[in-house]
Amino acid sequence: MTERSFSEVLDDVERNYWEITENIARAAEKSGRKYEDILFLAATKTVEPKVINHAVSLGLKYIGENKVQELLSKYEEYDLKNCDLQFIGHLQTNKVRQIIDKVSMIQSVDSVKLANEISKQSVKNSLVSNILIEVNIGREENKSGVLAEELEELLGRVSEMPNIKVRGLMTVPPICEKKTDVCKFFDKMQQLFIDISAKKMDNICMDYLSMGMSDDYEEAVLSGANMVRIGSRLFGRRIYR
Ligand SMILES: *Cc1c(COP(=O)(O)O)cnc(C)c1O
């Protein structure tokens, strides 16, 4: 196996970055929007801060980690003057206080219990936390996210909590072999997003629909996503240790 040198890795990231931004721009235009309307968030798990910061130097504005421990260990090295750090993974209630003052949004809230803890820690830290509600749109067992029919009740409960603000919805759809299958899940999410927006619930904003990853971000944008979360397509395939 050949190791790529660090500068080759950076070159790859650079090439990938421009390719992805072009693809996002094209999908945005096809769906009647502009590149600037779609937030490109890089999923940075297992990626060294130096490599992440190279992408930031190219113009990347949003990064997302999915493990608390990893986020904390990399925290001092992120270029947070030039990008915005979010949390996108499953979050245990007892770890909320470790990241509450470090992230601009928690994308993966799927229970009253977790929302309550975020609210409590936000009050303690005198800040307002932005969150997305994660929806288990494929109704998969053992997967994070609320079921579609539980969404409104959860939104109602969260809307009454202090110092926490719902800004939209997020999903990780089931792995599908065919693009047309994953599109069905994206379309369901778009419909939910539109339905909830139309209800104009107190304290609930539907600013962001976060869906689409390396293999399907263009389809997600065509189905109304305005935030995509891309890891391997940008940084190369992950080597899990
Ligand atoms: C890793 C990750 C992504 C990106 O996945 P890729 O397939 O590498 O693009 C998106 N969302 C979440 C929550 C992730 O953990």
Side-chain angles (χ1 to χ4, degrees):
M1 228 164 61
T2 56
E3 277 282 304
R4 295 184 72 65
S5 74
F6 191 65
S7 73
E8 283 175 321
V9 170
L10 297 188
D11 286 348
D12 286 351
V13 168
E14 191 154 339
R15 198 170 324 108
N16 293 341
Y17 179 81
W18 296 121
E19 187 182 305
I20 294 166
T21 55
E22 258 178 45
N23 291 340
I24 292 174
R26 196 171 324 110
E29 269 166 36
K30 268 196 209 166
S31 63
R33 292 171 295 169
K34 295 192 296 288
Y35 175 75
E36 298 76 53
D37 299 327
I38 316 294
L39 305 193
F40 170 9
L41 177 142
T44 50
K45 56 178 165 268
T46 76
V47 181
E48 283 180 66
K50 274 187 196 140
V51 177
I52 301 170
N53 291 343
H54 183 65
V56 172
S57 77
L58 301 172
L60 179 73
K61 292 208 169 54
Y62 302 88
I63 62 175
E65 289 287 352
N66 72 332
K67 291 208 172 75
V68 169
Q69 218 44 54
E70 186 176 344
L71 183 151
L72 295 175
S73 74
K74 287 149 84 172
Y75 186 72
E76 295 300 328
E77 294 177 74
Y78 298 124
D79 178 11
L80 295 179
K81 276 200 199 77
N82 295 304
C83 76
D84 188 276
L85 175 64
Q86 307 197 1
F87 193 78
I88 60 175
H90 178 69
L91 182 57
Q92 283 171 282
T93 310
N94 63 2
K95 294 194 171 157
V96 169
R97 60 179 177 76
Q98 300 183 54
I99 61 161
I100 195 73
D101 60 343
K102 297 188 169 57
V103 297
S104 68
M105 187 138 74
I106 297 172
Q107 294 210 5
S108 39
V109 178
D110 62 357
S111 70
V112 170
K113 186 170 164 237
L114 178 57
N116 241 328
E117 179 66 12
I118 293 170
S119 167
K120 200 176 101 188
Q121 294 297 335
S122 300
V123 170
K124 243 190 194 169
N125 285 272
S126 312
L127 48 85
V128 175
S129 290
N130 292 308
I131 66 162
L132 303 182
I133 303 292
E134 181 173 357
V135 180
N136 180 356
I137 198 66
R139 315 183 68 83
E140 292 173 281
E141 265 180 63
N142 309 317
K143 188 143 175 182
S144 307
V146 286
L147 296 176
E149 66 269 26
E150 298 165 347
L151 177 59
E152 249 191 272
E153 154 139 33
L154 177 57
L155 287 170
R157 297 284 295 276
V158 179
S159 72
E160 291 169 354
M161 298 176 188
N163 295 45
I164 183 169
K165 186 118 194 73
V166 176
R167 301 293 302 275
L169 305 178
M170 177 271 217
T171 198
V172 180
I175 293 167
C176 298
E177 279 182 19
K178 282 185 286 178
K179 288 271 165 83
T180 48
D181 290 338
V182 78
C183 287
K184 284 178 201 152
F185 293 114
F186 289 152
D187 289 341
K188 277 189 188 168
M189 280 301 295
Q190 184 181 32
Q191 197 54 54
L192 263 183
F193 186 77
I194 291 169
D195 291 347
I196 299 290
S197 306
K199 291 210 162 94
K200 300 196 186 306
M201 299 173 75
D202 281 347
N203 245 333
I204 303 290
C205 294
M206 286 290 127
D207 298 325
Y208 301 111
L209 178 55
S210 170
M211 60 185 188
M213 314 199 296
S214 286
D215 293 332
D216 50 26
Y217 63 94
E218 292 160 277
E219 285 79 9
V221 170
L222 293 178
S223 295
N226 59 11
M227 183 178 328
V228 292
R229 309 178 309 270
I230 300 174
S232 48
R233 195 67 205 79
L234 176 60
F235 296 116
R237 221 147 45 82
R238 284 182 292 280
I239 298 158
Y240 286 102
R241 276 154 297 209

